[in-house]
Amino acid sequence: MSAVEVAAVEEEDDLRRVIDDDGKVISGASVPKISDEQLHKLFDTMLMVRIIDDRMMRIQRQGKLGFYMKSLGEEATHLSVFPLRDDDWVYPSYREQGAWFWRGLTIEQFLNQLFGNKHDPTKGRQMPVHHSANWLNCVSISSPVGTQIPQAVGTAMGMKASGTDQVAMTFFGEGTSSTGEFHVGMNFAGVSKAPCVFVIRNNGWAISTGTEKQTAAKSFASKAVGYGMPGIRVDGNDILAVIQVANEAVARARRGEGPTLIECVTYRVEGHSSSDDPSVYRNPAEPEAWGPRDPLNRLRGYLKGKRLWTEGMEKDISDRYNDEISKYLKLAEEHGEPDVETLFDDVYQDLPWHLKEQKEYLLSQARTKNPHLHN
Amino acid sequence: MPTMNIIQAVNNALRIQMAAEPKSIILGEDVGKFGGVFRATSGLYDEFGEERVIDTPLAEAGIIGAAIGMAVYGMRPIPEIQFSDFIFPAFDQIVNELAKFRYRSGGQYPCPVVIRTPVGGGIRGGHYHSQSPEALFIHTPGLKVVIPSNPYDAKGMLLASLRQDDPVLFMEPKKIYRASRGEVPEEDYTVELGKAKVVREGNQVTLIAYGAMVSVIEEAAAKAAEIGISCEVIDLRTLMPFDIETITESVSKNGRAVMVHEAPQTCGFGAEVCTSLYERCMAHLEAPIQRVCGFDTPFPYSLEHEYLPNADRVLGAIRKTLEW
């Protein structure tokens, strides 16, 4: 753990960092090995999240989309999935768009889910940002926070029992560390030495409730001690540090040495969701103070230093994503809702008699107009 | 053919399934070395090892949460909840997660978890070892709910539950765990889910129950026969989806029915059964359907014998339908 000591910063001496706010490598910090191509892909993904977040919140404000959740300032934490293989599993919460895109979710699939249209991979079953992609081993998102934690551990226990070297990773916010499921999942993982990596996005806020109302512990990472696993605090706005600790945790799990808790210290620059108004409960100076620590800008600085970034390159990426979003947004709006018959699919594998009766009844009735249609 | 009690039949089914399906994993509190507090998993830890018969930490939400994670990954977990009274810490995992996984993921993630749990009163266990919470789970779209009443069905329906892809709450009537004995084939067989069983034929009143209450309505039918009343006895066996055809046919034939369960009456499963029968058999009914259920009180300790339905009370309800 020498990198921790070397990379120490004044006020937070247990916080792992690799680059500073300008993207320069901190003196003595070890830099994870990442190819130029992968560095470009990381930048590309973070930029894409920022663009799509911005576009989606704007159309939400225009009344075209029911709900949205942005990740502004937290994009680097999503890329904790960097060291995972395709056959590893991810249990996300609702604010890790970058993890989905990194694993291969397309903009088209992403937008179709937001609109719950007939091409939504989850068939319009959940509100926006609750994705599911079994072809990517990314598991369906649940709104009640923390439920995915023991589930991820169960998957990891299954991996272990099957004799594979696969790894499960799960994400959640710091507020979720207050749930029973956090305790239960961490404890199961510690006891069973499950190959599971827990990533806390400590973004400072659980809707309107600050971290001091969630724990009296010194840090969220320190909770790992009680479960017999390592807890690592990392600067969640430093993509290189995030990847460095994820590399270590995933490698450790793969070696059969058990779970790790990672606390990514970051900041939720905007509201919890499109339904939130942070001006009611927090000082606007607070998000402003985090501006200089913006994770995309820090990666940009790092790439500049390596001569891997030009303004033209960034503009090309932005234009490409904006065009793609425009194209699929139009289609997503046009596709229309799923057929009414699908309401009864997937409750069970086969339709039991009572659902057959209810389906026949509904189909015999006049169709009800959707009062929430945005076009 | 060997004679087994319900515990032995469950144990036998689990052994067959663990041997036949390497992806099966048993997990729960004290299910490993000890073999479960009722000994349903006895000997399986030694036979299949600690990776497949897991003594978990004491946390029901963890047991079911982990089972869900195993199932979506492709395993076939068989969690045990030590008493169905202890299931509530896992209520969210069962109701919001397990039951909805297939639906909410658009069919991407089926979740074949079979939760075994002892249910019901009659063992002097008081409130926390006696309840019958089945209605809460029948009311949860996505779950199947099974309660066998005898060793043959317990083995066959447990194996059937383990060989289909929907989540099942398999509730075992603990009062008759050892008292109910019968011939059970050694070999592998299944009893189809969703099918009730006409245990006794009769042409005046239809008695409907499940689990430990089946023996109560059988006793009531025998007493009724002594005074010249002919009762048909139906064991529902699967509560979700329940066998509407068998009960509709019987009640249409007899025009009179008594529904019995030990769970509290109000919003109990009997309410759904009765309504379904009124919707289908109204023209054939000679009297209102009677319910003999647990009272709408918490499950008592000292007065358990007064709380639970018994054959005399069922007989009273039978008379009521005839005298109406």
Side-chain angles (χ1 to χ4, degrees):
Chain A
M1 300 286 278
S2 61
V4 181
E5 292 145 34
V6 191
V9 290
E10 312 78 41
E11 72 284 4
E12 298 192 278
D13 58 4
D14 65 342
L15 190 73
R16 188 86 67 93
R17 299 181 77 194
V18 174
I19 51 175
D20 65 16
D21 290 352
D22 298 321
K24 292 197 176 59
V25 175
I26 291 166
S27 171
S30 67
V31 181
K33 275 207 178 71
I34 304 173
S35 70
D36 290 352
E37 192 190 338
Q38 284 175 316
L39 282 169
H40 272 140
K41 195 183 164 201
L42 289 166
F43 183 76
D44 197 287
T45 304
M46 285 171 65
L47 182 59
M48 198 246 267
V49 170
R50 192 155 292 191
I51 291 169
I52 206 164
D53 269 3
D54 184 57
R55 294 278 302 266
M56 293 307 104
M57 194 59 94
R58 275 194 282 144
I59 65 161
Q60 197 282 334
R61 295 301 186 220
Q62 290 162 10
K64 290 183 179 176
L65 182 62
F67 176 84
Y68 195 70
M69 301 180 96
K70 291 178 73 170
S71 294
L72 186 62
E74 299 179 53
E75 296 93 340
T77 65
H78 303 176
L79 293 157
S80 302
V81 296
F82 179 86
L84 295 181
R85 301 189 311 227
D86 288 348
D87 67 336
D88 293 327
W89 284 56
V90 185
Y91 281 74
S93 72
Y94 41 62
R95 206 189 302 281
E96 290 97 21
Q97 292 91 317
W100 293 89
F101 291 131
W102 183 264
R103 301 278 292 177
L105 195 75
T106 65
I107 286 177
E108 182 180 15
Q109 290 160 340
F110 184 89
L111 293 178
N112 285 337
Q113 195 286 329
L114 296 187
F115 280 82
N117 63 33
K118 61 173 59 171
H119 296 296
D120 168 6
T122 65
K123 304 185 188 174
R125 298 279 166 67
Q126 290 217 79
M127 66 188 291
V129 308
H130 291 63
H131 302 279
S132 182
N134 63 349
W135 63 96
L136 305 173
N137 292 341
C138 288
V139 179
S140 165
I141 293 172
S142 174
S143 307
V145 299
T147 54
Q148 75 276 23
I149 301 174
Q151 294 166 7
V153 175
T155 290
M157 289 166 77
M159 291 163 169
K160 188 162 176 266
S162 305
T164 76
D165 69 345
Q166 291 166 291
V167 172
M169 179 180 280
T170 182
F171 288 86
F172 45 94
E174 85 289 346
T176 298
S177 73
S178 302
T179 65
E181 245 90 342
F182 168 80
H183 163 66
V184 158
M186 295 285 288
N187 194 44
F188 267 59
V191 168
S192 65
K193 282 199 175 300
C196 194
V197 178
F198 303 90
V199 181
I200 300 184
R201 282 180 298 93
N202 174 7
N203 66 12
W205 293 93
I207 305 187
S208 68
T209 308
T211 55
E212 76 287 356
K213 298 274 173 68
Q214 301 294 348
T215 188
K218 178 169 162 270
S219 73
F220 292 96
S222 71
K223 290 169 182 263
V225 176
Y227 304 104
M229 69 177 83
I232 311 174
R233 281 184 96 223
V234 58
D235 180 341
N237 289 18
D238 174 347
I239 181 69
L240 299 183
V242 165
I243 287 173
Q244 185 179 72
V245 299
N247 279 343
E248 291 168 14
V250 169
R252 189 171 172 275
R254 223 182 278 298
R255 286 195 305 267
E257 292 168 25
T260 302
L261 176 65
I262 296 170
E263 176 188 352
C264 292
V265 180
T266 181
Y267 188 77
R268 199 192 75 204
V269 176
E270 296 200 353
H272 168 70
S273 72
S274 54
S275 309
D276 186 25
D277 176 10
S279 71
V280 176
Y281 54 80
R282 77 177 180 193
N283 186 338
E286 196 181 286
E288 274 168 36
W290 278 77
R293 299 165 81 171
D294 179 74
L296 184 63
N297 198 42
R298 285 166 75 178
L299 177 57
R300 190 184 283 121
Y302 179 71
L303 294 180
K304 272 186 199 168
K306 292 184 67 105
R307 302 187 177 282
L308 291 172
W309 181 91
T310 64
E311 207 174 326
M313 174 196 106
E314 181 163 338
K315 187 175 179 306
D316 286 348
I317 299 171
S318 299
D319 289 348
R320 179 158 52 83
Y321 283 133
N322 270 309
D323 289 348
E324 201 178 338
I325 291 166
S326 298
K327 175 183 162 189
Y328 289 114
L329 187 57
K330 188 167 178 293
L331 290 171
E333 287 176 303
E334 288 168 0
H335 283 321
E337 65 191 19
D339 293 336
V340 64
E341 291 89 343
T342 65
L343 179 67
F344 299 92
D345 295 344
D346 306 315
V347 183
Y348 298 93
Q349 181 166 39
D350 302 312
L351 210 56
W353 66 268
H354 66 293
L355 286 180
K356 273 185 201 152
E357 279 189 4
Q358 291 170 25
K359 181 177 176 179
E360 280 166 22
Y361 163 76
L362 179 62
L363 295 180
S364 75
Q365 301 297 299
R367 298 278 60 79
T368 306
K369 193 177 177 320
N370 183 348
H372 303 292
L373 270 187
H374 300 292
N375 43 12
Chain B
M1 199 183 291
T3 298
M4 296 186 196
N5 61 31
I6 292 179
I7 282 286
Q8 291 163 332
V10 165
N11 184 265
N12 184 244
L14 291 172
R15 179 170 284 107
I16 288 172
Q17 186 65 9
M18 289 291 281
E21 173 53 86
K23 291 183 171 182
S24 304
I25 293 188
I26 290 170
L27 67 160
E29 294 156 10
D30 310 303
V31 299
K33 276 187 187 167
F34 184 49
V37 296
F38 288 101
R39 318 313 309 276
T41 55
S42 186
L44 302 177
Y45 178 91
D46 289 337
E47 199 169 332
F48 300 103
E50 63 178 352
E51 292 276 6
R52 291 187 61 206
V53 184
I54 303 172
D55 276 323
T56 66
L58 209 166
E60 288 77 12
I63 295 168
I64 303 303
I68 292 169
M70 289 174 183
V72 300
Y73 173 67
M75 312 297 283
R76 306 292 298 207
I78 317 170
E80 176 180 301
I81 297 295
Q82 200 161 76
F83 285 84
S84 56
D85 314 80
F86 304 169
I87 207 164
F88 300 103
F91 198 64
D92 187 42
Q93 286 289 348
I94 296 171
V95 170
N96 253 341
E97 300 291 313
L98 175 62
K100 312 291 162 50
F101 238 100
R102 182 197 289 276
Y103 193 79
R104 82 175 201 214
S105 66
Q108 293 176 19
Y109 287 109
C111 210
V113 174
V114 177
I115 303 171
R116 294 183 38 257
T117 188
V119 69
I123 62 155
R124 285 188 68 76
H127 176 63
Y128 294 112
H129 299 81
S130 307
Q131 293 171 79
S132 297
E134 64 272 12
L136 299 171
F137 300 99
I138 300 165
H139 197 62
T140 299
L143 289 182
K144 290 181 177 172
V145 180
V146 175
I147 307 188
S149 70
N150 60 71
Y152 182 89
D153 285 349
K155 175 174 171 180
M157 297 182 83
L158 181 52
L159 285 169
S161 300
L162 293 166
R163 288 163 189 180
Q164 53 84 64
D165 289 331
D166 292 315
V168 175
L169 184 61
F170 192 86
M171 306 181 100
E172 301 165 359
K174 59 178 152 333
K175 178 177 191 280
I176 56 169
Y177 252 158
R178 291 186 175 79
S180 175
R181 298 179 62 81
E183 289 193 334
V184 177
E186 283 279 15
E187 65 266 20
D188 194 330
Y189 67 91
T190 57
V191 171
E192 190 182 353
L193 304 186
K195 297 286 179 208
K197 187 179 176 189
V198 178
V199 177
R200 173 186 181 129
E201 291 188 3
N203 57 21
Q204 283 181 280
V205 184
T206 298
L207 312 182
I208 305 167
Y210 50 87
M213 286 294 120
V214 173
S215 61
V216 170
I217 60 171
E218 282 187 277
E219 189 189 341
K223 286 188 172 189
E226 286 170 18
I227 51 171
I229 303 168
S230 168
C231 292
E232 186 142 291
V233 172
I234 296 179
D235 178 358
L236 274 177
R237 305 198 289 191
T238 301
L239 308 190
M240 177 51 73
F242 65 101
D243 184 350
I244 188 70
E245 279 180 26
T246 297
I247 57 173
T248 301
E249 195 180 315
S250 176
V251 174
S252 297
K253 180 185 74 175
N254 290 336
R256 294 178 168 86
V258 178
M259 174 77 216
V260 180
H261 58 62
E262 55 183 282
Q265 175 166 303
T266 302
C267 289
F269 184 54
E272 182 59 39
V273 170
C274 292
T275 305
S276 300
L277 288 170
Y278 283 121
E279 286 169 348
R280 286 164 180 77
C281 312
M282 196 66 190
H284 302 280
L285 285 176
E286 304 287 345
I289 302 168
Q290 295 297 309
R291 283 184 286 172
V292 181
C293 304
F295 299 104
D296 293 335
T297 67
F299 198 99
Y301 174 67
S302 299
L303 294 175
E304 175 182 56
H305 51 285
E306 291 287 357
Y307 175 90
L308 286 170
N310 58 35
D312 286 337
R313 254 187 245 162
V314 176
L315 189 60
I318 292 169
R319 285 181 187 280
K320 209 168 167 185
T321 67
L322 287 163
E323 289 160 8
W324 191 77

